[in-house]
Amino acid sequence: MRKFNIRKVLDGLTAGSSSASQQQQQQQHPPGNREPEIQETLQSEHFQLCKTVRHGFPYQPSALAFDPVQKILAVGTQTGALRLFGRPGVECYCQHDSGAAVIQLQFLINEGALVSALADDTLHLWNLRQKRPAILHSLKFCRERVTFCHLPFQSKWLYVGTERGNIHIVNVESFTLSGYVIMWNKAIELSSKSHPGPVVHISDNPMDEGKLLIGFESGTVVLWDLKSKKADYRYTYDEAIHSVAWHHEGKQFICSHSDGTLTIWNVRSPAKPVQTITPHGKQLKDGKKPEPCKPILKVEFKTTRSGVC
């Protein structure tokens, strides 16, 4: 019986199909009639990449601000970017030309304007009342480093604290220095023999905008009278301050410190805090100081039905 070889059959089929294909190509393109070449006219310079959409929370956020009336959230980043978020689906992206980190943002509430403070000690006033937000004014601090800014509600005065412990007052309308300066040595006088450190907090009394609460990094807090240009009270604690907040009645304020403690002060009793709390540490007996914990970086003073939080 004759053996059947499948390989030879497949080889024959392959050879037959390739020869048929060659004959078909010769019929379609006879010798001497080559297929015309298409010249490419598009070049690399005709294309340019661009961003069409941004999605997600900004990368490396460093500052936040919120306008409670217009419901706008502003987020600044370490690369100088500024993102604005409104109602769902409404957002805007801006960029500071210097690329310096945004250290603080302050809205001019319900006025469609925003102040940004950068790590290069520059302040910018943004106009948000147009389709594309733009910078209206800029102010550069050359001799002092900016550490904190405060803009009271419906006020034209922006308070700017510096690393040297001084506070400069800027007219927001003209975006120029007013000439009124609260010098650190005038603020603390004899309450401390050493420099109090950078300004880490500024806020006006909720019940009296003429009273300014100034927090220094070393632990010193000063209640400053803007009209008389002198300090009403000075409060001293031996731990560095990270955050300060007023009680809504303006009679007390609270400080968070580097050792994890919270101190509550009565405005008219500067000798010692009315209460000292260590939320994350054990309270020791006999008035001993509790063991230090991680610093509390931000504190707010809010009253609820059951007490203060």
Side-chain angles (χ1 to χ4, degrees), residues 24 43 71 76 92 102 141 146 224 267 283 297:
Q24 186 178 6
Q43 304 297 327
K71 303 293 190 296
C92 182
V102 181
F141 282 75
V146 175
W224 183 266
V267 171
Q283 295 289 345
L297 303 180

Side-chain angles (χ1 to χ4, degrees), residues 138-171:
S138 297
L139 181 62
K140 172 73 173 177
F141 282 75
C142 298
R143 298 182 180 181
E144 298 187 64
R145 304 215 65 182
V146 175
T147 56
F148 196 90
C149 297
H150 173 62
L151 181 63
F153 178 61
Q154 292 183 338
S155 173
K156 68 175 183 179
W157 304 113
L158 173 69
Y159 300 95
V160 182
T162 69
E163 191 176 35
R164 292 186 181 181
N166 303 322
I167 295 179
H168 300 267
I169 302 178
V170 177
N171 186 316

Side-chain angles (χ1 to χ4, degrees), residues 77-302:
T77 73
Q78 294 183 12
T79 58
L82 179 63
R83 293 279 294 278
L84 300 170
F85 299 92
R87 60 178 181 269
V90 177
E91 63 177 84
C92 182
Y93 171 86
C94 306
Q95 176 70 45
H96 293 90
D97 292 337
S98 65
V102 181
I103 61 174
Q104 198 171 354
L105 296 169
Q106 289 274 297
F107 270 105
L108 279 68
I109 304 298
N110 199 29
E111 294 186 22
L114 176 74
V115 174
S116 59
L118 306 188
D120 63 357
D121 310 308
T122 305
L123 304 178
H124 301 283
L125 177 63
W126 290 81
N127 179 12
L128 309 181
R129 295 186 297 270
Q130 54 192 50
K131 186 175 181 180
R132 182 70 180 173
I135 294 175
L136 288 178
H137 302 288
S138 297
L139 181 62
K140 172 73 173 177
F141 282 75
C142 298
R143 298 182 180 181
E144 298 187 64
R145 304 215 65 182
V146 175
T147 56
F148 196 90
C149 297
H150 173 62
L151 181 63
F153 178 61
Q154 292 183 338
S155 173
K156 68 175 183 179
W157 304 113
L158 173 69
Y159 300 95
V160 182
T162 69
E163 191 176 35
R164 292 186 181 181
N166 303 322
I167 295 179
H168 300 267
I169 302 178
V170 177
N171 186 316
V172 176
E173 296 175 354
S174 61
F175 223 64
T176 56
L177 291 171
S178 67
Y180 188 153
V181 182
I182 303 174
M183 304 299 294
W184 70 268
N185 54 350
K186 179 71 173 176
I188 68 167
E189 284 190 351
L190 300 178
S191 64
S192 175
K193 295 181 181 179
S194 59
H195 191 278
V199 175
V200 296
H201 177 82
I202 307 171
S203 62
D204 56 303
N205 188 307
M207 304 304 291
D208 186 354
E209 61 182 13
K211 306 290 185 180
L212 206 63
L213 197 65
I214 306 168
F216 297 94
E217 187 181 59
S218 64
T220 299
V221 178
V222 174
L223 184 64
W224 183 266
D225 190 304
L226 290 168
K227 294 180 180 179
S228 64
K229 298 184 179 181
K230 65 179 183 180
D232 284 348
Y233 299 101
R234 299 178 179 88
Y235 317 83
T236 303
Y237 194 71
D238 57 359
E239 293 293 340
I241 291 176
H242 283 279
S243 176
V244 183
W246 278 104
H247 185 273
H248 68 90
E249 293 179 349
K251 297 178 180 180
Q252 288 185 331
F253 63 90
I254 187 171
C255 302
S256 68
H257 300 275
S258 58
D259 63 345
T261 59
L262 300 174
T263 55
I264 299 176
W265 300 80
N266 283 336
V267 171
R268 298 182 180 274
S269 303
K272 63 178 182 180
V274 66
Q275 189 177 4
T276 301
I277 309 169
T278 308
H280 307 295
K282 294 182 179 180
Q283 295 289 345
L284 302 181
K285 297 181 180 180
D286 301 328
K288 292 183 179 180
K289 196 173 182 180
E291 296 180 358
C293 301
K294 291 183 179 180
I296 298 176
L297 303 180
K298 184 68 176 177
V299 65
E300 290 190 15
F301 210 156
K302 293 186 176 180

